[in-house]
Amino acid sequence: MPIYPKKERQIFMIQLIRGFKDILPGEVELWQAVEKVARQLLEDFGFKEIRIPIMERTELFARSIGEDTDIVEKEMYTFPDRKGDLITLRPEATASIVRAYIQHRLYAKDPVQKFYTIGPMFRRERPQKGRYRQFYQINAEIFGVQSGLVDVQLIFFLVTLFSRLQVSDVKAHINSLGCPKCRPKFKTALSEFLESVSDKLCSNCIRRKDRNPLRVLDCKVPSCREAMVKAPSILDFLCSECKEDFDEVKNMLEKLRVPFVVDKNLVRGLDYYARTTFEIQAESLGAQNAVAGGGRYDGLVSELGGPDIPATGFAIGFDRLTELTGLDAKQFYQKPDVFVAALGGQSRLAAFEWVCAFGNQGIRAELDFGGKSLKSQMKQADRLGARYALIVGDDELAKREAVLRNMQTKEQISVSIDGLVENIKGIIIAE
Ligand code: HAM
């Protein structure tokens, strides 16, 4: 049986997979501009790029993100490869970066390492505005520093980046999830509380309350929210080290004038966090209002088989960030510098050679391959927004000259065909 049955004489349009999208020219320029600003700032803050695979062994995500999380339970694209090994399209980047850090012993020379990566992630969530099944993240991780000051640095980085990208109206929400010393006491108190309100919880939370009680804290169902108003706060259970750490984080954020709110219900959807967690939220995004999220994950490196090295990081939702930025995609759209309008067989061949040479010289040049009239070629130059039109016919070619027309001022000058590409490059650069 062929895997792809041939549909005879039937032509059908194959559409995108639900929750996936194309980023088309016209929009992609904005993505490039945002990425350029983010990359520069990441490099300025000392992060080095790391590129990790799109697929990993399923076990890596199950063990790091947590078996009882929504992501691992129901959102991963997992399938056996041809040999039956279970592999998963990455739902996030942190687990892979930790794996690479351990596998290549990147801690051996110096445990302090800062990495960033940008790329697509995959989660089979219910698609809606701001929530896709393939989405993009700008991800940053810092290894080897225990101090809460680096958590502050990450939040400061995010706020700085968002302000450079003219994103307004965002606020940092922060919480501390304690450590393995103090969190179990909170979990016990929370579980007792959840038993007392179990008749008011949604079916999802009834299931979660035994397996992963913390997740009930950020359930968005109104009846659960109401039931949780009097829930115990993790902040009342922090041990002295965690409390000190969180106080330092808050004090330093204030010092740096980073606006933030403490949100005791911010537990995040991944299980590896400890101590400070944070989200940058933007009300204008609606239901999917987190544009970035992250926090400290001190136990993960050792849990995945590496040494006991602390770590912290964040991921920005690239799709949501492009929705929020005040930058205008149109301003980044690259128009041709010159449209070569040729009339006649010889001129068309010369024009073709010039266009190749222009490209090689970093000048964006276009021409018409369809043998259109001069009038329609000029219309095409206009439509493309070309800055100049270079007009040449066979007669001019014989006289070794062409006409260069400024499409805005309509001014025309005669240019020599000898050294033409260099000459025009000079005019364009000088402008
Ligand atoms: P996360 O909160 O799952 O964290 O994702 C980070 C950001 O990715 C979210 O705030 C959101 O902007 C974006 N995002 C998540 N899911 C979707 C989706 N389905 N569609 C569009 N955007 C989405 C993490 O992934 C952690 N690995 C962050 C981290 C790094 N923690 C420590 N280091």
Side-chain angles (χ1 to χ4, degrees):
M1 252 299 265
I3 303 175
Y4 311 108
K6 214 169 170 182
K7 297 222 166 165
E8 298 227 350
R9 286 176 214 274
Q10 191 184 338
I11 298 171
F12 59 97
M13 249 290 288
I14 300 171
Q15 302 268 354
L16 271 171
I17 305 171
R18 194 164 122 81
F20 287 61
K21 65 177 180 184
D22 301 309
I23 305 162
L24 302 175
E27 189 189 357
V28 83
E29 291 77 11
L30 181 64
W31 284 67
Q32 290 167 341
V34 167
E35 182 167 332
K36 197 170 162 196
V37 176
R39 268 179 193 278
Q40 186 59 58
L41 197 64
L42 281 159
E43 303 269 349
D44 291 347
F45 272 68
F47 290 90
K48 300 274 176 258
E49 183 169 11
I50 182 168
R51 297 193 185 190
I52 41 163
I54 298 277
M55 293 194 285
E56 296 270 6
R57 290 177 191 281
T58 303
E59 195 190 347
L60 174 70
F61 300 117
R63 268 173 53 191
S64 52
I65 299 169
E67 305 267 5
D68 296 325
T69 57
D70 283 354
I71 296 179
V72 173
E73 258 186 2
K74 51 187 188 197
E75 293 170 2
M76 295 202 307
Y77 283 94
T78 296
F79 46 90
D81 75 359
R82 285 174 187 262
K83 282 203 169 157
D85 294 329
L86 268 194
I87 49 178
T88 293
L89 283 177
R90 63 182 187 194
E92 59 121 41
T94 310
S96 302
I97 296 177
V98 173
R99 183 208 34 77
Y101 181 73
I102 300 168
Q103 183 170 346
H104 304 290
R105 295 173 52 82
L106 301 176
Y107 51 83
K109 254 198 193 147
D110 183 356
V112 181
Q113 301 283 342
K114 301 190 208 176
F115 301 115
Y116 76 91
T117 200
I118 302 175
M121 309 293 153
F122 305 84
R123 294 184 195 173
R124 202 178 188 290
E125 297 189 74
R126 197 167 46 78
Q128 64 179 79
K129 186 174 161 16
R131 190 161 71 191
Y132 311 100
R133 290 180 171 175
Q134 176 177 334
F135 59 98
Y136 294 77
Q137 282 187 344
I138 301 170
N139 200 102
E141 314 289 352
I142 301 180
F143 291 90
V145 188
Q146 184 63 77
S147 166
L149 291 180
V150 285
D151 300 317
V152 174
Q153 197 183 17
L154 292 176
I155 298 171
F156 178 77
F157 173 93
L158 288 168
V159 171
T160 309
L161 175 66
F162 293 162
S163 123
R164 289 212 184 158
L165 293 172
Q166 299 174 27
V167 173
S168 52
D169 237 12
V170 288
K171 199 162 220 170
H173 290 235
I174 64 167
N175 193 18
S176 173
L177 292 182
C179 66
K181 220 164 80 188
C182 53
R183 201 183 319 164
K185 287 185 202 131
F186 170 67
K187 266 193 171 172
T188 309
L190 181 63
S191 295
E192 278 169 17
F193 174 82
L194 292 177
E195 280 310 325
S196 73
V197 295
S198 62
D199 55 327
K200 300 190 182 80
L201 300 178
C202 71
S203 54
N204 246 342
C205 285
I206 298 277
R207 202 169 43 83
R208 283 175 185 148
K209 86 178 164 45
D210 300 320
R211 297 181 62 183
N212 199 350
L214 257 65
R215 300 287 306 141
V216 180
L217 285 167
D218 74 348
C219 178
K220 305 278 185 292
V221 174
S223 59
C224 292
R225 287 204 150 188
E226 206 176 301
M228 296 303 287
V229 169
K230 292 211 170 109
S233 161
I234 179 125
L235 299 175
D236 297 329
F237 287 79
L238 297 182
C239 62
S240 55
E241 290 95 329
C242 286
K243 189 174 172 326
E244 222 171 87
D245 174 79
F246 197 48
D247 285 342
E248 187 179 38
V249 167
K250 288 184 290 183
N251 289 338
M252 193 44 94
L253 283 174
E254 269 166 23
K255 235 186 187 158
L256 293 177
R257 293 182 217 279
V258 173
F260 69 94
V261 287
V262 175
D263 180 350
K264 67 180 173 64
N265 290 341
L266 182 77
V267 289
R268 313 266 304 119
L270 308 100
D271 276 357
Y272 47 60
Y273 292 111
R275 292 202 167 165
T276 301
T277 53
F278 52 87
E279 265 181 20
I280 308 291
Q281 298 182 3
E283 288 320 313
S284 57
L285 282 176
Q288 304 305 319
N289 66 355
V291 65
R296 185 159 278 286
Y297 51 95
D298 289 343
L300 189 57
V301 178
S302 60
E303 220 160 276
L304 291 180
D308 188 10
I309 291 177
T312 179
F314 66 69
I316 303 170
F318 202 151
D319 312 66
R320 295 182 192 175
L321 182 57
T322 56
E323 270 177 45
L324 284 174
T325 174
L327 305 178
D328 180 6
K330 279 196 211 103
Q331 95 190 63
F332 303 107
Y333 195 82
Q334 306 255 16
K335 293 176 177 163
D337 295 307
V338 51
F339 185 93
V340 186
L343 274 182
Q346 287 308 312
S347 320
R348 221 166 276 134
L349 290 180
F352 176 70
E353 275 185 49
W354 294 331
V355 166
C356 292
F358 276 131
N360 191 23
Q361 293 284 324
I363 301 293
R364 283 184 300 274
E366 293 290 342
L367 88 159
D368 157 57
F369 286 94
K372 286 189 193 134
S373 70
L374 181 61
K375 197 172 163 198
S376 46
Q377 288 189 59
M378 293 309 283
K379 268 195 186 154
Q380 192 180 348
D382 232 2
R383 209 174 44 244
L384 291 172
R387 286 159 68 192
Y388 288 94
L390 179 68
I391 306 159
V392 64
D394 285 355
D395 290 349
E396 286 89 348
L397 197 65
K399 286 192 241 152
R400 306 215 51 77
E401 60 185 35
V403 170
L404 185 68
R405 177 181 171 89
N406 183 319
M407 294 297 284
Q408 248 188 351
T409 61
K410 316 281 182 224
E411 223 176 280
Q412 298 197 161
I413 54 168
S414 175
V415 283
S416 164
I417 279 171
D418 303 310
L420 177 120
V421 171
E422 283 300 325
N423 276 347
I424 291 181
K425 184 180 174 184
I427 293 172
I428 286 172
I429 287 173
E431 210 184 48

